[in-house]
Amino acid sequence: MRALVYDGELRLERDYPKPEPAPGQAIVRVTKAGICNTDLELVKGYMGFGGVLGHEFVGVVESGGPEWEGRRVVGEINLACGECTCCRAGMPSQCPNRTTLGINRHDGAFADYLQLPTANLHALPDTVSDDQAAFVEPLAAALQISERRQIMPSERVVVIGDGKLGLLVAQVLRLTGCHLRLVGHHDSKLVLAQGWGIETARAGDLGANLADVVVDCTGQASGFAASLDIVRPRGTIVLKSTYHGLPEADLTRVVVDEVSVVGSRCGPFEPAIRLLAAGLVDVEAMIQARYSLDDGVVALERAAQRGTLKVLLEVG
Amino acid sequence: MRALVYDGELRLERDYPKPEPAPGQAIVRVTKAGICNTDLELVKGYMGFGGVLGHEFVGVVESGGPEWEGRRVVGEINLACGECTCCRAGMPSQCPNRTTLGINRHDGAFADYLQLPTANLHALPDTVSDDQAAFVEPLAAALQISERRQIMPSERVVVIGDGKLGLLVAQVLRLTGCHLRLVGHHDSKLVLAQGWGIETARAGDLGANLADVVVDCTGQASGFAASLDIVRPRGTIVLKSTYHGLPEADLTRVVVDEVSVVGSRCGPFEPAIRLLAAGLVDVEAMIQARYSLDDGVVALERAAQRGTLKVLLEVG
């Protein structure tokens, strides 16, 4: 099968071995896949990954039992052991033995086929298109903020970063009724957000009115310092960005201002599917380009260009 | 009056101006004062402080109205404006206009007299000795952990750092009934903690059993990385340490492991006084040396020696 492989260099392989059926495992024929900034970080060396990239996908189950075969699905990306303390505590996404689709020791979705446990699959209703479904994974990650920290309708919330994740996070937080502002650098993206009724600002233009909650979606080490500058005393910084490298962080200021810092990663799929089905989140407007899997290397180069929104790979 | 002054160099002045009475302000004759690691950081340049050092004290009110005069008191160290958003929200310790006794633009307690608003004072019951009272401020800071984060009796809590603050924090957390371990480097301090019934460990000896809550009392930039190494996924790191300088911090790990980081600084005085009056916290055993204020420079040198517990200044 075709597969976009990274092992120090990125290339399309045409005879990559197709995953084998196994008990409890589904083989999914990939229809579409989305390129995430994490893919771009992996190609820079994050996680020391080697294998098939890709973790945002929609596909059709080819094998995995009669309950699943032929169904259109998305899939959770963490493959948990099911037996450790984290798994038993209902936190499979934190399983220390986990592998992660296209991120850590498990081949990913930029290929004709992928393998996932059937327990990871979520069937899609007809009301969610394939284009929309390709966004379920990052939209779930945006929803994880509300799993980690209550967002009160009366709060002042600032999302820093108008990239793909920032735009999804802003759309989700807008639904809480909070006083939301999205801070970014790109006119076209801020205009997009304004079209959704989201107040936008340029970095440095927020004035003296501090935020109760700041969500760092910059994807950059500098995002933490920027968040500290605008969070109120005893406010919360939600970190969504992962990147290769360690920033300097003013932890003394965290103590003195009694700030809370909350890490947030993968989130719940069913609420994401519900919001898409209800038309409450607009993901189509975030699709900037489409490439065939055959042109996957070029697609990743395009996705890496500054300011690019979602690049989709058309696979099946 | 005598005053231990820092303005780039540390020295005892004998003719420092005594603070003047003013409406709403008390003049307190200092009896005893404690040396805190923050004092040692200030002398290294933290906060760019200049003036009289010292913020842990017990004294007797000399003037400030008939309600207060002659009373034995301790005092909260943040001088809030009373009018800003933080003050109105019941967070005077976070007032952005605040000055802080012996830390930020307000002369401190290493002197014969200090000035504080009467609103900052707490009268002491006879059941709390002067030696005990000198610990009210740092004990309140230890109690602030439970103001910032619920500590559940069923949780595994690790305190890193067996210095003055770590020992107070461990004593307070022990009262929750949680499974507590104190990690340190100094035999004498660990033995002291064991005498209070606290389980102790050497750094690196904790084994694979991760903690629900880690409290960083190391006072060092390296404490954050050490805390990340032993906190469970979705656990909480409470930061108590302030220091001069910025550490590198693995914020990506905060995101991936969905850790919460909570800053905690000054705390509530009345609960601290209650615990001391009830004999539930042993502070006398933490007094390592006593110096006259006349020997304040030597006292700070002694306090700065690695492994020294509380050094008290006998003032009045």
Side-chain angles (χ1 to χ4, degrees):
Chain A
M1 69 173 187
R2 298 174 300 166
L4 194 63
V5 172
Y6 178 76
D7 58 4
E9 66 159 3
L10 183 70
R11 65 179 176 280
L12 186 80
E13 293 200 5
R14 298 205 164 267
D15 294 309
Y16 198 83
K18 184 177 168 183
E20 299 281 339
Q25 303 289 319
I27 305 296
V28 178
R29 182 168 47 76
V30 179
T31 314
K32 293 173 193 272
I35 299 174
C36 168
N37 280 8
T38 300
D39 300 316
L40 306 175
E41 289 292 314
L42 291 171
V43 172
K44 288 182 206 165
Y46 176 57
M47 301 288 293
F49 178 76
V52 180
L53 288 167
H55 57 277
E56 302 176 359
F57 75 94
V58 52
V60 176
V61 179
E62 186 182 77
S63 71
E67 183 192 347
W68 286 105
E69 286 164 15
R71 296 188 82 171
R72 206 162 56 99
V73 296
V74 290
E76 299 198 40
I77 69 176
N78 295 292
L79 289 87
C81 73
E83 294 171 8
C84 68
T85 316
C86 282
C87 286
R88 289 198 310 265
M91 308 190 296
S93 72
Q94 290 294 348
C95 167
N97 309 315
R98 72 185 181 273
T99 59
T100 308
L101 183 76
I103 294 178
N104 184 16
R105 296 179 291 132
H106 189 95
D107 277 342
F110 298 163
D112 285 312
Y113 297 92
L114 61 82
Q115 185 193 66
L116 269 183
T118 53
N120 283 40
L121 300 181
H122 294 264
L124 290 164
D126 293 341
T127 44
V128 173
S129 71
D130 279 352
D131 277 356
Q132 286 179 299
F135 286 85
V136 166
E137 197 280 334
L139 183 58
L143 283 163
Q144 180 69 357
I145 293 169
S146 290
E147 296 280 335
R148 294 281 295 141
R149 205 274 196 187
Q150 175 191 23
I151 304 294
M152 289 184 265
S154 59
E155 285 185 312
R156 297 155 300 172
V157 179
V158 173
V159 176
I160 314 185
D162 56 5
K164 297 180 282 294
L165 184 59
L167 289 170
L168 286 176
V169 165
Q171 287 198 73
V172 162
L173 293 178
R174 157 183 164 270
L175 301 174
T176 66
C178 71
H179 176 201
L180 177 66
R181 283 168 298 173
L182 174 68
V183 175
H185 287 290
H186 304 91
D187 281 333
S188 61
K189 297 179 184 178
L190 296 179
V191 166
L192 186 60
Q194 288 158 12
W196 297 323
I198 292 167
E199 191 178 327
T200 63
R202 294 260 165 187
D205 278 356
L206 285 177
N209 207 1
L210 297 175
D212 300 298
V213 179
V214 180
V215 185
D216 173 18
C217 298
T218 60
Q220 294 178 7
S222 59
F224 186 68
S227 300
L228 269 178
D229 281 341
I230 55 175
V231 72
R232 70 161 166 85
R234 293 206 191 141
T236 298
I237 297 173
V238 180
L239 296 182
K240 291 297 297 180
S241 299
T242 54
Y243 36 72
H244 194 50
L246 295 184
E248 284 194 335
D250 190 349
L251 297 177
T252 287
R253 198 153 150 205
V254 171
V255 175
V256 171
D257 291 347
E258 298 194 305
V259 169
S260 297
V261 182
V262 174
S264 167
R265 185 169 41 98
C266 297
F269 271 46
E270 288 297 327
I273 293 169
R274 286 193 289 271
L275 289 182
L276 289 170
L280 286 167
V281 175
D282 175 14
V283 292
E284 287 95 335
M286 291 174 56
I287 301 172
Q288 183 136 28
R290 298 167 187 272
Y291 290 82
S292 161
L293 177 59
D294 293 329
D295 301 319
V297 175
V298 178
L300 253 81
E301 287 168 3
R302 173 67 189 275
Q305 285 171 18
R306 191 174 149 75
T308 305
L309 281 174
K310 186 60 77 183
V311 175
L312 288 187
L313 289 173
E314 306 279 353
V315 181
Chain B
M1 68 173 189
R2 297 173 299 166
L4 195 62
V5 173
Y6 178 76
D7 58 3
E9 66 160 3
L10 183 69
R11 65 179 176 281
L12 185 80
E13 294 200 4
R14 299 206 164 265
D15 294 310
Y16 198 82
K18 184 178 167 183
E20 299 280 339
Q25 303 289 319
I27 305 297
V28 177
R29 181 168 49 77
V30 178
T31 313
K32 294 174 192 270
I35 298 175
C36 168
N37 280 8
T38 301
D39 300 316
L40 306 175
E41 289 292 314
L42 291 171
V43 172
K44 290 184 204 162
Y46 176 56
M47 300 289 294
F49 178 76
V52 181
L53 288 166
H55 58 277
E56 302 177 358
F57 75 95
V58 53
V60 176
V61 179
E62 185 182 77
S63 71
E67 183 193 347
W68 286 105
E69 285 163 16
R71 297 187 82 170
R72 207 162 55 97
V73 296
V74 290
E76 298 198 41
I77 69 176
N78 296 291
L79 291 86
C81 74
E83 294 172 7
C84 69
T85 316
C86 282
C87 287
R88 289 199 310 265
M91 305 191 296
S93 72
Q94 290 293 349
C95 167
N97 309 316
R98 73 185 180 273
T99 60
T100 308
L101 183 75
I103 294 178
N104 184 16
R105 295 179 293 132
H106 190 93
D107 276 343
F110 297 164
D112 286 310
Y113 297 92
L114 61 81
Q115 185 193 65
L116 269 183
T118 54
N120 283 41
L121 300 181
H122 294 263
L124 290 165
D126 293 340
T127 43
V128 173
S129 71
D130 279 352
D131 276 356
Q132 287 180 298
F135 287 84
V136 167
E137 197 281 335
L139 182 58
L143 283 164
Q144 180 69 357
I145 293 168
S146 291
E147 296 280 335
R148 294 280 295 140
R149 206 271 199 189
Q150 175 190 23
I151 304 294
M152 289 185 266
S154 59
E155 285 185 311
R156 297 156 299 172
V157 179
V158 173
V159 175
I160 313 185
D162 57 5
K164 299 180 282 294
L165 184 59
L167 289 170
L168 287 176
V169 165
Q171 287 199 72
V172 162
L173 293 178
R174 156 183 164 270
L175 301 174
T176 66
C178 70
H179 175 201
L180 176 66
R181 282 168 298 174
L182 174 68
V183 175
H185 287 290
H186 304 91
D187 281 333
S188 61
K189 297 180 184 178
L190 295 179
V191 167
L192 187 59
Q194 288 158 12
W196 297 322
I198 293 167
E199 190 178 327
T200 63
R202 293 259 164 188
D205 280 355
L206 285 177
N209 207 1
L210 298 174
D212 300 298
V213 179
V214 181
V215 184
D216 173 18
C217 297
T218 60
Q220 295 179 4
S222 59
F224 186 68
S227 300
L228 269 177
D229 282 341
I230 57 176
V231 72
R232 71 163 166 83
R234 291 204 193 144
T236 298
I237 296 172
V238 179
L239 296 181
K240 290 297 298 180
S241 300
T242 54
Y243 36 70
H244 193 51
L246 295 184
E248 284 194 337
D250 190 349
L251 297 177
T252 287
R253 197 152 149 206
V254 172
V255 174
V256 170
D257 291 347
E258 297 193 306
V259 169
S260 296
V261 182
V262 174
S264 168
R265 185 169 41 98
C266 297
F269 270 46
E270 288 297 328
I273 293 168
R274 285 194 289 270
L275 289 182
L276 289 169
L280 287 167
V281 175
D282 174 14
V283 294
E284 286 95 335
M286 292 174 57
I287 300 172
Q288 183 136 29
R290 297 167 188 272
Y291 290 83
S292 160
L293 176 59
D294 292 330
D295 300 319
V297 174
V298 178
L300 254 82
E301 287 168 2
R302 172 69 187 275
Q305 286 170 18
R306 192 174 149 75
T308 306
L309 281 175
K310 185 61 75 182
V311 175
L312 288 187
L313 290 174
E314 306 279 353
V315 182

